């Protein structure tokens, strides 16, 4: 029964990432196993036909849904009177409790295995073997043996059943007549018969004995026995309360994903109920063994690895001007402080706080006060440390670095130096964790209400390592990443967008909808947007045969080339121009990106300068225009500079713009543009500029693209 239900949610008739994964209730076989365990159903049992299996499937599914709904209703009903100091609000408790009922799609098996391999070094594995009698490598071998065995076994049984049915129908005219007389479609009828035969035979072959596991893995028998005993629930043992605990979010199968029973022969057999937990629960199991007594070497290594991988992902995606890790800095009059990472890119600084603190099982169940206490060192401390550094970056032109690792120059260490931060006007904070906090960290308003983040303080982006690495790989240009961080912070501040998976926010952004939501202010509830992402991840991991393309923000080729040119040359103001370009409507940004080359062609034909300006009313935060000029062959550099500055200032003033991003192109070049100027100053009335505008004949108050046909270019 348990094996059949496990197979019912396994992707046997479809590919991972085809969109059906989200419809599978991965906790269905777990709850079924716990129901049997609590009721002492550990013997051989009676034979269950397809009808019984179907009814169990229906009833257990209903139990899951009803329990989730009932608990959410209870917590919502007590929200107004909850008010317990130093505790999370009810929604966070509900999220923690129900996450075990609706497990996240296990899209990161490969990444988690890689991470576990880096976390548990040979020295740490030796410690684990001393304390537990087994280590991660043995668990991996067990996973590989079990995870592939059951689906393969079913496939073999299906082939045997098909062959048996074929032989019987060929040899029995009576059987052929009976089949032909049925009203069902012949192919569907044969498929159903084959399925019934295969699933019926599966009942005697689903579990593995100790000898089976030893033969399949090559592991030592005593080691296998210790491992299975530690990671199993005995169906015929005392298991009172495991079902109600599961429905409250306390899932014993997180670290005990096997069930075992004694056969009629006296042999014991084991069945892997939840392969996902064998990979994602093993870190919890192994870390518990390293906590008593606490292994200080592991704790230090855990934090260093999180910081290292987080900074590596950010550097690869952002190509920053400055990337410092393990930063120790001083503030005059206040003392010495630390931050895990600091990146500077144009006018943007990103503060990384890598928090390797682990959550205990009690906190995972949503216990309001315990969850509050354990989220504090991850979320609150990260926000506080980042706010301290934010204050320094906003109030000074330099940051005194006492020591830091220069990640752009491997092995270099910065000591007693001053970092120039004069151009920094925008600061983002990333609170990075090894824990999967999607269920509590995606709605910032709840963190503020719980007192974990101060009201009015810019929210850090709370993200786990796997999500950060995947998200960073999806952003084709640094400006795309920075724009996402800005939009993500905007929707976090007012809670207008609610999602349960951080990668749903990423996919919402890549679809273009997040920009629209921020502009409209409309509240949005996001269910699941990751089908396309999942398909790509599984295809890249070799778990899916059908090719799947990498999700990306749809950008036309001209815009992409302009973003690349700005990123490559990095003139002052390039990042602001890139983000402004991305923020414009797709047709408008395509116009902007094409203009330098179009005007260059005009100048090549008539040997005259040309100019164009494009206003971007959709950029509501700052009034912004783009100014483009072209010059014929032979125009002197000084004249180009004079006209670019002069016309840019006049055009910005005439349009009452706070920002003007000016591009120049000249005949003879093949670059996307040849010169760039960023004019960023809050608009204020200026009598001198009013006179110059009047004298020059520049019209004011018109919107959209408008060619300026004057040959002198302004």
């Amino acid at each position: 029964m348990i094996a059949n239900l496990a197979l019912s949610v396994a992707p046997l008739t479809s590919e991972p990432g085809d969109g059906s994964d989200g419809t599978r209730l991965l906790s269905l076989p777990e709850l079924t196993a716990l129901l049997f365990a609590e009721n002492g159903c550990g013997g051989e049992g009676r034979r269950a036909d397809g009808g019984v299996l179907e009814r169990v499937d229906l009833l257990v599914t209903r139990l899951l849904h009803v329990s989730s709904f009932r608990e959410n209703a209870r917590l919502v009903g007590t929200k107004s009177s909850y008010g317990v100091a130093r505790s999370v609000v009810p929604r966070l408790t509900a999220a923690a409790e129900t996450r075990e009922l609706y497990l996240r799609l296990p899209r990161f098996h490969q990444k988690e295995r890689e991470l576990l391999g880096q976390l548990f070094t040979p020295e740490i594995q030796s410690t684990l073997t001393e304390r537990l009698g087994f280590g991660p490598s043995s668990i991996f071998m067990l996973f590989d043996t079990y995870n592939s065995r059951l689906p393969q076994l079913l496939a073999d049984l299906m082939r045997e059943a098909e062959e048996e049915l074929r032989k019987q129908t060929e040899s029995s005219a009576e059987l052929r007549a009976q089949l032909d007389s049925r009203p069902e479609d012949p192919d569907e009828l044969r498929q159903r018969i084959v399925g019934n035969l295969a699933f019926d035979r599966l009942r005697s072959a689903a579990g593995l004995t100790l000898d089976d596991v030893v033969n399949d893995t090559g592991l030592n028998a005593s080691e296998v026995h210790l491992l299975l005993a530690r990671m199993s629930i005995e169906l015929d043992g005392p298991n009172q309360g495991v079902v109600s605990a599961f429905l409250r979010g306390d899932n014993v199968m997180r670290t005990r994903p096997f069930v075992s029973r004694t056969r009629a022969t006296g042999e014991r057999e084991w069945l892997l109920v939840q392969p996902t937990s064998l990979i994602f629960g093993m870190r919890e199991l192994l870390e518990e063994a390293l906590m008593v007594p606490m292994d200080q070497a592991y704790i230090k290594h855990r934090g260093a690895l999180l910081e290292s991988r987080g900074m590596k992902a950010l550097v690869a995606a952002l190509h920053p001007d400055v990337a410092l890790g393990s930063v120790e800095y001083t503030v005059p009059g206040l003392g010495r402080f630390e931050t895990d990472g600091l990146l500077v890119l144009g006018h943007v600084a990103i503060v990384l706080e890598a928090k390797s603190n682990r959550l205990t099982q009690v906190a995972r169940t949503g216990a309001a006060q315990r969850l509050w206490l354990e989220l504090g060192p991850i979320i609150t401390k990260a926000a506080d440390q980042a706010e301290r550094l934010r204050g320094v970056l906003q109030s000074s032109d330099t940051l005194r670095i006492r020591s830091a690792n220069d990640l752009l120059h491997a092995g270099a260490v910065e000591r007693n130096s001053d970092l120039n931060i004069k151009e920094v006007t925008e600061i983002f904070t990333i609170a990075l964790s090894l824990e999967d906090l999607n269920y509590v960290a995606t709605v910032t308003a709840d963190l503020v209400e719980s007192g974990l983040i101060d009201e009015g303080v810019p929210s850090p982006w709370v993200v786990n390592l796997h999500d950060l690495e995947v998200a960073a790989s999806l952003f084709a240009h640094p400006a795309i990443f920075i724009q996402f961080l800005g939009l993500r912070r905007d929707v976090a501040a007012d809670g207008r967008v609610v999602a349960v998976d951080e990668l749903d926010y990423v996919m919402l952004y890549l679809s273009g909808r997040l920009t629209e939501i921020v502009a409209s202010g409309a509240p949005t509830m996001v269910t699941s947007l990751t089908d396309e992402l999942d398909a790509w991840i599984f295809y890249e991991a070799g778990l899916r045969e059908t090719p799947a393309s990498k999700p990306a923000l749809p950008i036309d080729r001209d815009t992409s080339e302009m973003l690349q040119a700005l990123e490559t040359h990095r003139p002052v103001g390039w990042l602001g121009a890139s983000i402004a370009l991305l923020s414009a409507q797709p047709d408008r940004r395509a116009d902007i990106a094409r203009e330098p080359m179009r005007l260059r062609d005009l100048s090549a034909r008539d040997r005259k300068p040309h100019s164009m300006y494009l206003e971007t009313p959709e950029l509501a935060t700052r009034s912004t225009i783009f100014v483009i000029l072209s010059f014929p062959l032979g125009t002197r550099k000084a004249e180009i500079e004079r006209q670019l500055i002069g016309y840019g200032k006049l055009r910005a003033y005439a349009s009452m713009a706070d920002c003007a991003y000016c591009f120049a192109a000249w005949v003879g070049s093949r670059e996307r543009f040849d010169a760039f100027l960023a004019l960023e100053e809050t608009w204020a009335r200026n009598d001198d500029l009013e006179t110059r505008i009047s004298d020059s004949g520049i019209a004011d108050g018109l919107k959209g693209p408008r060619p300026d046909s004057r040959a002198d270019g302004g």
Side-chain angles (χ1 to χ4, degrees):
M1 180 72 74
I2 298 169
N4 278 322
L5 289 173
L7 286 168
S8 74
V9 298
L12 298 179
T13 59
S14 58
E15 286 193 298
D18 67 356
S20 65
D21 305 271
T23 65
R24 298 188 178 99
L25 207 53
L26 297 182
S27 53
L28 175 64
E30 289 184 283
L31 180 53
T32 304
L34 293 175
L35 283 163
F36 288 148
E38 185 164 315
N39 289 279
C41 304
E44 287 284 356
R46 293 177 298 173
R47 176 174 176 172
D49 59 21
V52 173
L53 181 65
E54 185 176 348
R55 287 194 294 275
V56 170
D57 188 340
L58 175 65
L59 291 171
V60 176
T61 300
R62 286 183 176 176
L63 175 58
L64 281 164
H65 290 315
V66 169
S67 174
S68 175
F69 178 80
R70 182 173 57 194
E71 182 60 14
N72 275 287
R74 183 185 71 81
L75 289 167
V76 169
T78 61
K79 184 176 179 64
S80 60
S81 59
Y82 204 80
V84 179
R86 297 169 63 84
S87 64
V88 298
V89 296
R91 198 205 69 83
L92 298 185
T93 294
E97 290 180 352
T98 57
R99 80 181 294 266
E100 291 300 336
L101 307 188
Y102 304 99
L103 291 171
R104 287 186 69 203
L105 178 68
R107 63 170 69 96
F108 294 139
H109 277 152
Q110 309 292 73
K111 289 180 67 63
E112 182 69 8
R113 287 187 71 152
E114 176 192 354
L115 175 62
L116 292 170
Q118 294 177 354
L119 278 172
F120 301 115
T121 62
E123 294 80 7
I124 295 170
Q125 288 204 46
S126 296
T127 302
L128 285 167
T129 302
E130 290 175 4
R131 296 185 182 186
L132 292 172
F134 59 87
S137 58
S138 301
I139 300 178
F140 287 143
M141 293 184 71
L142 207 60
F143 173 83
D144 293 335
T145 296
Y146 268 97
N147 192 41
S148 60
R149 182 180 182 277
L150 201 57
Q152 184 60 52
L153 176 61
L154 180 61
D156 293 341
L157 292 174
M158 292 284 281
R159 282 194 295 269
E160 292 175 7
E162 286 175 355
E163 181 63 16
E164 181 178 332
L165 181 62
R166 184 188 65 78
K167 289 179 179 180
Q168 289 182 3
T169 53
E170 287 178 353
S171 62
S172 173
E174 182 181 355
L175 178 59
R176 289 198 301 273
Q178 287 182 353
L179 293 176
D180 292 340
S181 67
R182 299 295 294 269
E184 297 102 319
D185 178 82
D187 290 336
E188 291 182 0
L189 177 60
R190 283 173 169 77
Q191 186 175 3
R192 184 158 60 85
I193 293 172
V194 167
N196 288 339
L197 285 171
F199 275 95
D200 184 55
R201 292 168 183 175
L202 182 67
R203 64 190 295 271
S204 62
L208 289 178
T209 66
L210 182 63
D211 289 341
D212 292 333
V213 179
V214 171
N215 290 334
D216 287 352
T217 63
L219 294 171
N220 178 275
S222 60
E223 183 179 9
V224 171
H225 186 269
L226 284 171
L227 197 160
L228 288 173
R230 178 60 185 81
M231 302 187 74
S232 299
I233 298 171
E234 296 181 7
L235 291 177
D236 44 12
N239 296 297
Q240 282 68 38
V242 292
V243 173
S244 58
F246 178 86
L247 296 175
R248 294 194 311 270
D250 186 3
N251 181 10
V252 66
M253 298 200 83
R254 278 183 59 85
T255 57
R256 294 181 180 270
F258 292 89
V259 291
S260 67
R261 69 174 184 181
T262 302
R263 291 178 176 175
T265 61
E267 285 186 293
R268 194 146 197 89
E269 65 177 343
W270 286 266
L271 172 70
L272 176 59
V273 179
Q274 184 50 264
T276 298
S277 292
L278 189 54
I279 289 296
F280 291 96
M282 65 179 284
R283 173 150 54 98
E284 185 178 338
L285 168 67
L286 298 176
E287 287 184 340
E288 285 177 358
L290 292 169
M291 292 302 111
V292 184
M294 184 175 291
D295 190 308
Q296 295 293 345
Y298 174 72
I299 298 299
K300 183 177 180 180
H301 171 65
R302 193 179 195 268
L305 180 62
L306 177 63
E307 177 187 322
S308 172
R309 284 187 54 163
M311 288 296 289
K312 182 179 179 181
L314 292 173
V315 169
L318 292 168
H319 309 293
D321 305 314
V322 175
L324 302 177
S326 302
V327 182
E328 187 177 322
Y329 64 96
T330 57
V331 180
L334 295 178
R336 184 189 307 169
F337 303 99
E338 296 178 349
T339 191
D340 295 316
L342 175 63
L343 303 97
V344 179
L345 179 71
H347 70 282
V348 169
I350 296 176
V351 179
L352 176 72
E353 290 295 341
K355 299 304 176 187
S356 62
N357 305 67
R358 54 185 295 273
L359 295 184
T360 63
Q361 179 58 23
V362 176
R364 293 180 195 279
T365 66
Q369 291 179 309
R370 190 69 202 179
L371 186 57
W372 189 91
L373 287 172
E374 295 187 22
L375 286 177
I378 299 174
I379 296 175
T380 308
K381 189 174 180 180
D384 291 346
Q385 289 176 325
E387 278 308 295
R388 183 189 302 115
L389 183 53
R390 178 191 298 274
V392 178
L393 295 174
Q394 289 178 331
S395 62
S396 177
D397 290 342
T398 60
L399 178 67
R400 184 63 177 174
I401 303 294
R402 191 172 185 274
S403 69
N405 298 325
D406 187 345
L407 302 182
L408 300 184
H409 301 87
V413 178
E414 288 282 340
R415 295 191 186 279
N416 299 319
S417 61
D418 289 324
L419 176 64
N420 185 353
I421 52 174
K422 185 177 181 179
E423 303 301 324
V424 172
T425 58
E426 186 81 43
I427 303 162
F428 295 102
T429 305
I430 298 176
L432 182 64
S433 174
L434 281 173
E435 297 287 343
D436 181 2
L437 299 177
N438 275 289
Y439 63 104
V440 295
T442 48
V443 183
T444 306
D446 292 323
L447 300 177
V448 172
E449 188 176 349
S450 301
L452 291 166
I453 298 177
D454 290 338
E455 190 171 1
V457 171
S459 170
W461 183 33
V462 183
V463 63
N464 68 68
L465 179 61
H466 293 331
D467 284 352
L468 172 65
E469 290 178 333
V470 169
S473 71
L474 299 176
F475 300 134
H477 297 282
I480 293 178
F481 199 162
I482 299 301
Q483 187 191 36
F484 167 76
L485 289 177
L487 293 171
R488 180 68 182 89
R489 187 173 64 188
D490 288 344
V491 297
D494 55 18
R496 79 185 77 163
V497 179
V498 178
V500 295
D501 190 329
E502 192 58 50
L503 291 177
D504 281 329
Y505 286 98
V506 174
M507 294 303 292
L508 190 67
Y509 168 76
L510 294 179
S511 71
R513 288 175 54 200
L514 189 58
T515 304
E516 296 171 1
I517 290 169
V518 170
S520 68
T524 303
M525 179 71 182
V526 178
T527 51
S528 178
L529 300 175
T530 58
D531 288 348
E532 181 185 354
L533 175 61
D534 296 333
W536 172 68
I537 289 174
F538 286 124
Y539 178 68
E540 289 292 304
L543 303 175
R544 172 187 168 98
E545 293 183 1
T546 304
S549 58
K550 181 178 181 179
L553 185 70
I555 300 177
D556 62 278
R557 189 182 68 177
D558 293 298
T559 299
S560 183
E561 289 183 0
M562 178 166 273
L563 289 172
Q564 187 59 57
L566 285 165
E567 178 189 344
T568 299
H569 299 292
R570 302 197 174 200
V572 174
W574 72 273
L575 186 56
S578 299
I579 295 172
L581 187 62
L582 286 168
S583 302
Q585 294 294 329
D587 56 344
R588 179 62 62 90
R589 69 188 180 208
D591 288 341
I592 295 168
R594 285 193 292 265
E595 278 305 289
M597 300 183 75
R598 189 186 73 83
L599 294 186
R600 179 190 288 143
D601 290 342
L602 289 178
S603 292
R605 288 197 295 269
D606 63 14
R607 299 181 181 178
K608 295 179 180 179
H610 291 274
S611 63
M612 169 75 78
Y613 74 93
L614 298 98
E615 296 177 343
T616 53
E618 60 269 30
L619 303 182
T621 53
R622 297 186 74 182
S623 176
T624 303
I625 66 167
F626 287 84
V627 175
I628 301 98
L629 297 93
S630 65
F631 298 91
L633 197 64
T635 308
R636 294 182 178 275
K637 181 180 178 181
E639 179 62 15
I640 292 172
E641 290 179 351
R642 184 187 71 81
Q643 294 205 36
L644 186 63
I645 296 172
Y647 184 67
K649 285 184 175 181
L650 289 179
R651 187 64 266 170
Y653 186 81
S655 296
M656 302 180 69
D658 298 321
C659 297
Y661 297 115
C662 310
F663 297 85
W666 49 74
V667 175
S669 170
R670 295 185 178 181
E671 298 291 331
R672 174 62 57 175
F673 59 88
D674 300 301
F676 170 80
L677 173 67
L679 299 171
E680 299 177 330
E681 186 176 0
T682 302
W683 189 92
R685 182 173 178 83
N686 184 300
D687 291 337
D688 179 56
L689 290 177
E690 291 283 350
T691 301
R692 291 171 62 188
I693 287 173
S694 177
D695 293 343
S696 67
I698 293 178
D700 188 18
L702 298 179
K703 304 295 181 182
R706 188 174 69 86
D708 189 325
S709 60
R710 290 175 297 103
D712 66 1

